[in-house]
Amino acid sequence: MEESKLCQWSVVRSLLAILQWWAFNVTVIITNKWIFQKLDFKFPLTVSCVHFICSAVGAYLTIKVLKIKPLIQVSPEDRWRRIFPMSFVFCINIVLGNVSLRYIPVSFMQTIKSFTPATTVILQWLIWRKYFDWRIWASLVPIVGGILLSSVTELSFNMLGFTAALFGCLATSTKTILAESLLHGYKFDSINTVYYMAPFATMILSIPAMLLEGSGVIAWLQTHPSVFSSLIVVFCSGLLAFCLNFSIFYVIHSTTAVTFNVAGNLKVAVAVMVSWLIFRNPISALNAVGCAVTLVGCTFYGFVRHVLSQQPPGTPRTPRTPRNRIEVLPLVNGKIDDDKV
C-alpha cells in the first residue's frame, strides 16, 4: 500500500515538474518575443544582459541567503580556466537565441533549435574524432530533413534570424561538450551553474551591449510612450529566466532521461502553438509538417540513445566503425537542456 502511494506521488511530482517547466519555458520565450515585437525594444544584447544580471542575483539569493542549494566550491584557478570559457560560449548561446527571436517567429526558431543533437554529434565527430553507432546517425536524418523542409517553406524567413538560430545550435553543442570536459569532477546543478557562469557572462556582455545598443536604448527611453510598464516587462523576463533554471533543476530530478527527452519535444510543440495563438505568424502546411518531422526525429534520437545506454558492456557494434574508436553515445548528459538563460 505504501509502495503504491509512493509510486502515485512520484507520477504526480513528475507531471507537476514537467508542467511548471513548460510554463516557465514557454513564458520566457513568449515574453522575449513580446519585448522585441510589441514593445519595440529591439535590443537583444541588452535583454540578454538583464537576464544574466537577474539570474546572477537569483542564484546568489538561492544559495547564499535562502540556502536552498549548497554551494559547490570551485577554486579561483578553475573558475578562470574552466568556467570562464564555458561562460563565454554560454553568453554567445543566449545572445544568438535572442537575436533569432528578434527576426524570426518563435515556431521557426524552436524548430531550428531542435537541430542541436545533430550539431553536437557532428562537432564531436569532426573536431574530437569521436565515432558513433550507425543508429545515432540514422536518427539524425529526420531531424535534418524536417529542418530543411521548415526552412524552405517558412513564410517569415529572415536570413539573419535563421543564421543566428543555427549558430545558436552550434554554441549550445559546444557549451554542452565543454561542460563534460571542463567541469569533470564537479557535479554541477542548474543553480550552481548559473551562480558561477552568470556573473562572467554579464561581465563579457555588458561592454558590447553598451557600445552597440546604448544609444538606441537611451533613444527608446526618451521616445517610448509607456517606459515604466515596458521596463517592468523586461525585468520580469529576467526573473522568469532565473525561474526557468530552477524549474530545469526540479524536472531533471523528478523524471527519467526518456521522459525528459519526450517532454522537451512536446514543450517545443506547446511553444509553437502558444506563439501562433498570440502572434498569429503565418505557418504553411509544409512548414508544420517539417516541424512535426523534426520533433519526431528528436524523439527517435532520444529513444536510440536510451536503447544504446542500456546495452551491456561488450555488446557487438557495427563492423564499419573501428572497434577502438567507437563512441556509442554522444558526449552529452542525457538530461541536459539548452534553454537555460
Side-chain angles (χ1 to χ4, degrees), residues 49-312:
C49 208
V50 170
H51 285 191
F52 288 136
I53 292 171
C54 292
S55 295
V57 173
Y60 178 86
L61 292 175
T62 301
I63 292 175
K64 291 288 191 177
V65 179
L66 301 177
K67 300 187 184 301
I68 296 176
K69 287 295 296 180
L71 176 64
I72 297 174
Q73 297 294 337
V74 179
S75 67
E77 181 185 356
D78 277 349
R79 292 185 190 187
W80 287 100
R81 187 168 58 91
R82 298 187 178 195
I83 296 178
F84 182 81
M86 277 186 57
S87 301
F88 185 77
V89 180
F90 178 58
C91 183
I92 292 174
N93 176 38
I94 301 302
V95 169
L96 289 174
N98 282 333
V99 170
S100 65
L101 271 179
R102 161 79 170 77
Y103 291 101
I104 60 177
V106 172
S107 55
F108 190 33
M109 179 262 201
Q110 287 289 294
T111 304
I112 297 172
K113 281 191 69 174
S114 300
F115 193 58
T116 301
T119 57
T120 303
V121 171
I122 292 169
L123 275 177
Q124 290 180 271
W125 177 64
L126 286 175
I127 300 176
W128 282 270
R129 297 300 179 184
K130 298 290 183 181
Y131 283 76
F132 302 100
D133 189 280
W134 66 272
R135 285 166 288 186
I136 289 290
W137 292 107
S139 69
L140 300 181
V141 173
I143 298 177
V144 176
I147 294 290
L148 290 175
L149 182 59
S150 295
S151 302
V152 171
T153 58
E154 175 57 48
L155 299 178
S156 304
F157 185 87
N158 178 279
M159 180 56 71
L160 179 57
F162 172 77
T163 304
L166 195 59
F167 276 95
C169 291
L170 289 172
T172 300
S173 300
T174 305
K175 179 193 71 176
T176 304
I177 295 169
L178 285 175
E180 293 282 350
S181 57
L182 294 178
L183 296 182
H184 179 71
Y186 291 105
K187 294 183 179 180
F188 271 56
D189 52 60
S190 292
I191 302 303
N192 272 277
T193 301
V194 174
Y195 178 85
Y196 283 107
M197 291 175 61
F200 275 133
T202 303
M203 180 180 69
I204 293 168
L205 189 58
S206 58
I207 295 177
M210 286 188 291
L211 291 176
L212 297 176
E213 297 180 348
S215 58
V217 171
I218 293 172
W220 180 89
L221 290 171
Q222 293 172 342
T223 58
H224 197 269
S226 53
V227 173
F228 183 73
S229 59
S230 297
L231 286 178
I232 289 177
V233 175
V234 173
F235 280 98
C236 280
S237 73
L239 179 61
L240 289 168
F242 169 72
C243 292
L244 172 59
N245 284 283
F246 203 88
S247 70
I248 290 170
F249 162 75
Y250 183 48
V251 77
I252 280 174
H253 286 79
S254 303
T255 62
T256 63
V258 176
T259 303
F260 185 83
N261 177 265
V262 174
N265 295 324
L266 290 175
K267 174 207 70 181
V268 174
V270 171
V272 169
M273 182 64 68
V274 173
S275 71
W276 180 81
L277 290 173
I278 294 176
F279 299 105
R280 295 291 180 175
N281 56 285
I283 301 177
S284 67
L286 283 177
N287 185 268
V289 170
C291 180
V293 170
T294 300
L295 295 181
V296 170
C298 289
T299 303
F300 180 49
Y301 168 83
F303 173 74
V304 169
R305 285 184 54 194
H306 174 69
V307 169
L308 292 176
S309 69
Q310 301 302 309
Q311 288 184 346

